Amino acid sequence: MSVPTNVPSITLNDGVVIPQLGFGVWQVGADEIVPAVATALEAGYRHLDTAAAYGNEDGVGKAIAESGIAREELFVTTKLWNSDHKADDARRAIETSLEKLGLDHLDLYLIHWPATVKYGDAYIEAWDSMQQFKAEGLVRSIGVSNFVQQHLDKLQGTTPSVNQIEVHPTFQQRELRELNTSRGITTEVYTPLGTQSQPGDITLPEVTALAEAVGKTPAQVVLRWHLQQGLVVFPKSVTPTRISENFDVFDFELSDDQMAVLNGLDRGFRQGADPVTAGF
């Protein structure tokens, strides 16, 4: 798969190549999803991250179909929802996602949450199904999202290629990221700007001062911080100017000292649900 030349890529543990910067569509509604994805594709994004639970896979599929971009130029991720961890449900779920997206295969399929509070260890059965889907060619690469060590330890067979977790300057999850790396698992990042709880990490004075120093927006500075750490990141916006700005992060680098400033902002401030206690 080729990607725009200015977007770095990472080779996953199964040999699949993933663009390091993508476009996320969490909380993008039905009336905004098609134009938002279309704008992202026009800006140069080729990596799209959605999920069954987002309720917008059909809109993502419509934007892909209307774009005229060849399938092999795109990297499309979606996720298996918690209520579909049993084998029959997982089979139905991936078939539904493929139909809504208008695709014959996914590039990456993730278990969205371990969901142990409500569904116990059903995620282990889901992982068996994911491996089967890969063997059948329905998906090129398989991974997980919101897994911590106790969940990763119980998986059998194929090692996940990806673990998608919350990371931003005030919640860096370094220990979990180091665990991922030690097992050959690539870390993907959601809520990269720390804006799930407003106003977000991009309003911190340390971030705004760095942005002024390098002549970029606070969001661009934080995205660059993620990229320079080797993380896969996908900001979300429905505003065309911000979609383009978030893609314009390849013409500058943060110095070691500037990286250290952002590294020093970790406060353990989780904005989303805790994977161990989440009850959905």
Side-chain angles (χ1 to χ4, degrees), residues 47-90:
H47 175 182
L48 303 173
D49 181 273
T50 185
Y54 298 171
N56 56 23
E57 289 173 316
D58 51 350
V60 172
K62 188 173 190 294
I64 289 172
E66 293 177 352
S67 73
I69 297 171
R71 175 65 183 94
E72 61 269 19
E73 297 295 320
L74 298 172
F75 192 100
V76 182
T77 300
T78 193
K79 308 177 191 77
L80 177 72
W81 185 238
N82 308 342
S83 57
D84 293 327
H85 285 178
K86 295 294 185 181
D88 289 346
D89 296 327

Side-chain angles (χ1 to χ4, degrees), residues 5-272:
T5 55
N6 61 332
V7 180
S9 61
I10 291 174
T11 300
L12 302 176
N13 60 19
D14 55 7
V16 171
V17 177
I18 185 171
Q20 201 180 348
L21 179 67
F23 184 68
V25 298
W26 179 60
Q27 289 188 328
V28 180
D31 57 336
E32 296 178 310
I33 185 64
V34 175
V37 174
T39 298
L41 293 173
E42 290 168 6
Y45 293 87
R46 293 295 181 266
H47 175 182
L48 303 173
D49 181 273
T50 185
Y54 298 171
N56 56 23
E57 289 173 316
D58 51 350
V60 172
K62 188 173 190 294
I64 289 172
E66 293 177 352
S67 73
I69 297 171
R71 175 65 183 94
E72 61 269 19
E73 297 295 320
L74 298 172
F75 192 100
V76 182
T77 300
T78 193
K79 308 177 191 77
L80 177 72
W81 185 238
N82 308 342
S83 57
D84 293 327
H85 285 178
K86 295 294 185 181
D88 289 346
D89 296 327
R91 172 72 60 178
R92 183 171 58 252
I94 191 171
E95 290 174 352
T96 299
S97 289
L98 287 168
E99 182 178 1
K100 287 183 176 181
L101 289 164
L103 304 176
D104 62 4
H105 72 278
L106 303 168
D107 296 288
L108 179 62
Y109 198 36
L110 305 179
I111 299 177
H112 205 152
W113 292 84
T116 54
V117 171
K118 190 170 184 180
Y119 299 103
D121 284 344
Y123 71 90
I124 298 173
E125 183 174 347
W127 188 242
D128 292 338
S129 294
M130 303 282 275
Q131 293 176 79
Q132 182 61 35
F133 299 154
K134 182 176 181 180
E136 295 174 15
L138 295 176
V139 56
R140 298 172 63 220
S141 193
I142 54 176
V144 297
S145 182
N146 298 296
F147 276 46
V148 298
Q149 181 170 356
Q150 67 191 62
H151 308 126
L152 293 171
D153 284 348
K154 291 187 177 181
L155 300 181
Q156 300 294 317
T158 300
T159 299
S161 63
V162 160
N163 188 10
Q164 185 182 121
I165 59 175
E166 178 184 343
V167 177
H168 44 89
T170 58
F171 189 64
Q172 298 186 24
Q173 298 220 75
R174 290 190 174 274
E175 185 175 344
L176 180 54
R177 287 160 49 194
E178 289 169 2
L179 175 69
N180 289 339
T181 299
S182 73
R183 299 188 180 189
I185 302 170
T186 296
T187 298
E188 284 190 338
V189 169
Y190 70 83
T191 315
L193 306 178
T195 51
Q196 186 169 335
S197 299
Q198 296 295 337
D201 292 4
I202 55 176
T203 64
L204 295 172
E206 294 90 344
V207 176
T208 57
L210 281 179
E212 184 175 353
V214 300
K216 288 289 185 175
T217 69
Q220 288 170 325
V221 166
V222 173
L223 292 172
R224 187 70 211 179
W225 172 75
H226 286 291
L227 292 169
Q228 286 182 214
Q229 295 180 89
L231 304 172
V232 177
V233 61
F234 27 84
K236 185 266 294 185
S237 180
V238 297
T239 306
T241 54
R242 289 179 183 170
I243 291 172
S244 295
E245 283 176 356
N246 290 341
F247 192 75
D248 183 23
V249 290
F250 303 110
D251 61 350
F252 75 106
E253 287 189 3
L254 299 175
S255 69
D256 290 345
D257 288 344
Q258 290 168 333
M259 290 290 289
V261 170
L262 295 176
N263 291 341
L265 296 177
D266 195 5
R267 302 292 184 269
F269 178 38
R270 185 191 297 275
Q271 297 189 10

